[in-house]
Amino acid sequence: MTRNLFALLAGSLFGLGLMLSGMTDTAKVRGFLDVLGSWDATLIFVIVGALIPMFFAWRVAEARRRALLGNDIPARPDPAITRDLAMGSTLFGIGWGLSGLCPGPAMASLSYNGWGGLVFLAAMVAGMLAAPPVKARLMAA
Amino acid sequence: MIEQDWILGLVGGLVIGCAAALFLLVNGRIMGASGIVGGLVDGSGRATAGERGFFLAGLVGAPALVATIWRAPETHLIGDWGVLVAAGLLVGLGTRIANGCTSGHGVCGISRLSPRGIVATAVYIGVGMAAVALFRHALGVI
C-alpha cells in the first residue's frame, strides 16, 4: 500500500507540474515545434527544470542501487541505438507535431480537454495495442 | 512567450522533475508516461498493475481537482477528429516501439546521460519540427 500511495503522489505531482508549466496547452507545444512561425521556447524551460532534480536523483540512485521501498534501481539499458528506437521516435514525432500532445499531457488534461482529448487518448491506446506486432515485424525486417 | 510563461515553465518543470525523482528513489521506477500506460494496455505490466493504476489516478485526478475547484487552463486542442485520431495512433505506436516518450526518454533518460534517451529526444523533436513545418506551413492541415 505504501508503494501505491507514493505512486499516487508521484502521478499527482507529475500532473500538477504539467498543468502549471503550460504543457497541457497544445498551442505552446506546437509553438515550440514551429520554428517557421512564432517560436515559443517555454518547453525548453520545462525540460531544464525537470532535468535538475533528476540529475541529482540519478546520482543518488546509482550510488545506493536500491530504492527506499526495497527494489533495485532499474539497470542501465544497452546503449545501442536500435532501429526500433529511431523508427518509433520518428512516428511519435509526427503525431506529437500534428497534435501538440504526448502521453503525459494527454492524461493530465483529460478532465478539461473536451471530447477531442478523449478521442486522442482512445487512438493512443489503440496505437499502443498495435505496437507489439508492428515492432516484431520491424525488427525482423 | 511572455516572461510569466517561462517562470511557470521552469517551476512546473521542477515539479515534474521532483515527481520523477520521488518515483525513482522511493519506488525504484522510471517515470515514463507511455511505459506506465502501455504496460497496462498490453498486459506486459500486469505484475505492477496497482502501482501503475495509482500513478495514473494521480496524473489524471490531481489536475482534474485543480480544474474543478480553481480553473482549467486553455488547451487549444485542434478540432479535426481525423487529425486527432491519426496523431493519437502515431503517438501510441511510436512511443511503444521506441520504448519511451518525452518523460521516459526526455526527462529520465537525458538526466541519466543515456545515449538512447538523448538520441530519441533529438529524433522526436527534430521530426516534430519537420511535421509542423510540413503540415502547417506547406500543406495547411493544422
Side-chain angles (χ1 to χ4, degrees):
Chain A
M1 201 59 224
T2 315
R3 179 168 288 284
N4 290 342
L5 222 63
F6 277 100
L8 181 72
L9 183 63
S12 301
L13 279 176
F14 183 31
L16 295 176
L18 286 169
M19 190 185 201
L20 182 68
S21 64
M23 291 299 100
T24 61
D25 184 349
T26 61
K28 293 197 81 61
V29 176
R30 271 180 290 133
F32 166 74
L33 297 172
D34 191 3
V35 283
L36 300 180
S38 55
W39 193 61
D40 186 325
T42 310
L43 191 139
I44 304 263
F45 289 91
V46 181
I47 290 193
V48 169
L51 288 177
I52 295 167
M54 271 309 279
F55 180 73
F56 293 105
W58 273 122
R59 301 191 80 159
V60 174
E62 288 187 332
R64 292 175 47 105
R65 298 216 185 90
R66 266 175 187 284
L68 282 173
L69 294 177
N71 49 316
D72 291 335
I73 294 296
R76 237 170 210 287
D78 185 333
I81 308 301
T82 46
R83 189 170 3 172
D84 53 347
L85 186 83
M87 297 286 287
S89 298
T90 301
L91 297 176
F92 167 41
I94 300 170
W96 192 37
L98 277 172
S99 60
L101 277 175
C102 52
M107 302 284 303
S109 64
L110 199 59
S111 62
Y112 55 87
N113 215 359
W115 286 105
L118 212 60
V119 166
F120 177 90
L121 192 78
M124 185 182 94
V125 166
M128 286 178 164
L129 278 171
V134 175
K135 185 170 179 166
R137 287 187 74 162
L138 201 67
M139 295 311 273
Chain B
M1 186 182 73
I2 51 174
E3 193 179 311
Q4 194 199 1
D5 287 8
W6 69 258
I7 296 172
L8 286 176
L10 192 65
V11 174
L14 284 166
V15 175
I16 294 168
C18 288
L22 180 82
F23 208 40
L24 177 67
L25 293 173
V26 177
N27 291 49
R29 305 280 182 222
I30 307 262
M31 193 189 78
S34 59
I36 294 171
V37 181
L40 282 181
V41 168
D42 64 20
S44 61
R46 205 171 295 131
T48 50
E51 204 172 17
R52 291 167 192 269
F54 274 87
F55 181 90
L56 294 178
L59 176 54
V60 177
L65 203 65
V66 174
T68 309
I69 60 179
W70 187 40
R71 68 181 171 85
E74 286 285 346
T75 62
H76 299 108
L77 189 67
I78 49 171
D80 187 331
W81 282 21
V83 176
L84 282 177
V85 167
L89 283 170
L90 286 165
V91 169
L93 199 59
T95 53
R96 287 305 273 164
I97 290 174
N99 214 16
C101 57
T102 333
S103 45
H105 280 314
V107 175
C108 299
I110 293 178
S111 59
R112 199 181 198 181
L113 305 178
S114 149
R116 283 175 60 85
I118 294 167
V119 169
T121 304
V123 170
Y124 61 69
I125 288 182
V127 171
M129 286 176 169
V132 171
L134 176 68
F135 292 110
R136 176 178 286 176
H137 296 288
L139 302 175
V141 197
I142 52 169

